[in-house]
Amino acid sequence: YNSHYHCLKEMKIFKDRKSLQREILSTKGIAFVPTMGGLHKGHISLIKKSKKTKFKTLVSIFVNPKQFNEKKDFKSYPRNQKKDLKILKNLKVDYLYLPSISDIYTFKPKNKVFLDKFSRQLCGKYRKDHFPGVLNVINRFLEIIKPKKLFMGKKDFQQLYLVKKHTIKRKINTKIIECKTIRETNGVAFSSRNLRLNLKDKKVASKIYFYLKKIKYKFKYYDPNLLKKEIINLGADKIDYVEFYNIKNFKKSKKFSRNSRIFIAYFLNKVRLIDNI
C-alpha cells in the first residue's frame, strides 16, 4: 500500500455535456485547453500553463468536422486516443471532455458567432468554412464549460485573434491566454499534421522556417513573388500564401517594422502547414 499513490486523483472523463456541467459546477473555475487530439509538445506546454492557474484544468479532444474543407482531410486527421490519454494522465489533468458530434451540435448557443473581417484573409481566403467552423465550436465550448481561462497557441495566430474578437464582442467572461509557439529542434512548429510528414518533408519544412527567420529582418520592402519563388525552390509543393502583416492593426505591410510577422501556409506532399514568424 502506497499512501502517495492513494492521494493521486484520477482524471475524470466525460462524454456528454450534461454530466460534465454537473461535475464542474462545484469548482472555483476551469482553465480550458481545447484540442483535436494527436497531442504533442505544443499542447503539453498549454496544459502545463493551465495547471499553474488556481483553477481545475479541463482538456477537450474533439476533431471538429465543421472546420475541415474536405471530407478526406477530416478522415485522415491524425488520431491516437490511447496515446493522448496516457499523456493527459501523466500530466495529471483534472477533466477530459470527449464529446460526440451530436453532443456539441444539438443545442442552440445563446451567443451568435462574431466573425471579424480578418477571417476572410490568409487561411480564410483559401479555406472558406474553416474559421466559421472553428468559431462555431469554440463558442459552444465556451457556453458548455464557461471557463475562466482559455489557452491557445500563437501558431494559429489568426484563430487566436478571431476567438479573442468574438469573446470581446459578445462580452464573454473568459480570458484568452496566448501561448508561444513550441518548435521542434529543426525549427518546425509542432503540429499534429507533422505526423504525416516523412524525413525529406521535415528537412524542407526546416529549411523554409530558417529561411523566413533569416530574411525577416533583411527586407526593407517585401516582394511576395520573389518570396514565393524562393520557397518553391526550397522544396514546397504549393503555397497558399506568404504575407507580411502588421499584427498591431492587421494590415498587410509592404515595409518591415517591429510589429511585422510573416504568415505562411504551404503544402508538402499534400500536408498543409501553417506558421507565423
Side-chain angles (χ1 to χ4, degrees):
Y1 176 75
N2 180 334
S3 62
H4 169 68
Y5 179 75
H6 188 65
C7 299
L8 288 183
K9 285 213 313 294
E10 271 295 293
M11 171 174 76
K12 290 186 178 169
I13 301 174
F14 297 90
K15 293 195 169 163
D16 69 296
R17 61 178 192 269
K18 293 278 193 292
S19 53
L20 173 72
Q21 286 169 321
R22 272 198 301 278
E23 170 74 28
I24 62 181
L25 260 178
S26 56
T27 67
K28 284 193 190 64
I30 292 292
F32 176 43
V33 183
T35 82
M36 294 209 299
L39 300 182
H40 51 67
K41 284 184 180 161
H43 296 118
I44 290 169
S45 86
L46 298 179
I47 293 165
K48 284 183 171 166
K49 275 209 168 63
S50 89
K51 283 190 61 76
K52 290 198 170 99
T53 66
K54 57 177 190 287
F55 306 117
K56 291 261 172 56
T57 292
L58 188 157
V59 174
S60 65
I61 295 178
F62 178 62
V63 184
N64 175 29
K66 291 198 188 293
Q67 70 190 66
F68 289 85
N69 276 33
E70 313 224 341
K71 270 243 163 60
K72 60 179 195 295
D73 195 21
F74 171 66
K75 286 204 164 71
S76 68
Y77 193 83
R79 294 165 171 84
N80 190 341
Q81 206 176 81
K82 226 164 99 185
K83 188 173 163 233
D84 290 345
L85 281 173
K86 210 172 140 189
I87 290 170
L88 295 173
K89 281 180 176 156
N90 285 339
L91 288 166
K92 301 187 177 56
V93 162
D94 298 292
Y95 305 120
L96 169 62
Y97 181 29
L98 287 172
S100 63
I101 291 173
S102 66
D103 195 49
I104 292 289
Y105 286 112
T106 50
F107 71 96
K108 192 172 167 14
K110 291 184 187 67
N111 283 314
K112 200 168 158 292
V113 166
F114 170 72
L115 252 189
D116 184 83
K117 63 179 188 303
F118 184 50
S119 65
R120 294 193 288 277
Q121 296 173 48
L122 298 172
C123 280
K125 205 159 120 188
Y126 292 88
R127 303 174 71 198
K128 223 172 54 268
D129 306 326
H130 180 66
F131 290 125
V134 169
L135 274 110
N136 186 345
V137 77
I138 291 288
N139 187 41
R140 289 163 180 276
F141 274 132
L142 289 171
E143 187 150 321
I144 293 166
I145 297 159
K146 298 183 170 52
K148 299 278 192 220
K149 294 184 172 181
L150 170 64
F151 292 78
M152 298 179 92
K154 285 187 186 176
K155 179 180 79 88
D156 298 298
F157 205 97
Q158 215 177 341
Q159 169 177 295
L160 178 70
Y161 178 84
L162 294 170
V163 168
K164 249 184 166 165
K165 283 284 190 210
H166 168 71
T167 55
I168 292 164
K169 191 79 177 170
R170 297 291 178 249
K171 300 183 171 56
I172 294 168
N173 198 4
T174 296
K175 193 171 166 39
I176 310 295
I177 310 293
E178 307 181 10
C179 304
K180 72 174 203 297
T181 302
I182 305 296
R183 298 183 180 278
E184 301 190 31
T185 45
N186 64 4
V188 180
F190 274 101
S191 163
S192 308
R193 290 170 193 269
N194 295 1
L195 293 167
R196 291 165 54 197
L197 300 175
N198 61 33
L199 213 58
K200 186 171 154 272
D201 297 331
K202 282 185 176 173
K203 283 202 170 105
V204 172
S206 176
K207 276 186 197 153
I208 290 171
Y209 167 71
F210 285 112
Y211 168 71
L212 290 174
K213 199 172 137 95
K214 191 177 83 196
I215 59 119
K216 180 177 171 178
Y217 298 103
K218 289 222 167 116
F219 266 137
K220 284 284 176 282
Y221 289 91
Y222 138 81
D223 175 357
N225 295 328
L226 190 73
L227 213 47
K228 279 185 176 163
K229 223 191 225 121
E230 278 300 329
I231 289 162
I232 293 287
N233 285 342
L234 287 172
D237 294 322
K238 184 180 142 208
I239 297 169
D240 270 355
Y241 59 81
V242 51
E243 301 275 12
F244 264 69
Y245 268 79
N246 178 327
I247 55 168
K248 282 286 169 273
N249 59 12
F250 272 98
K251 299 263 185 288
K252 277 188 201 183
S253 47
K254 281 275 186 278
K255 263 166 80 171
F256 185 77
S257 79
R258 222 169 37 110
N259 295 321
S260 301
R261 283 185 96 78
I262 303 175
F263 285 81
I264 185 168
Y266 66 97
F267 288 84
L268 290 174
N269 254 339
K270 302 204 168 58
V271 181
R272 187 177 188 271
L273 299 177
I274 64 167
D275 206 345
N276 60 87
I277 291 150

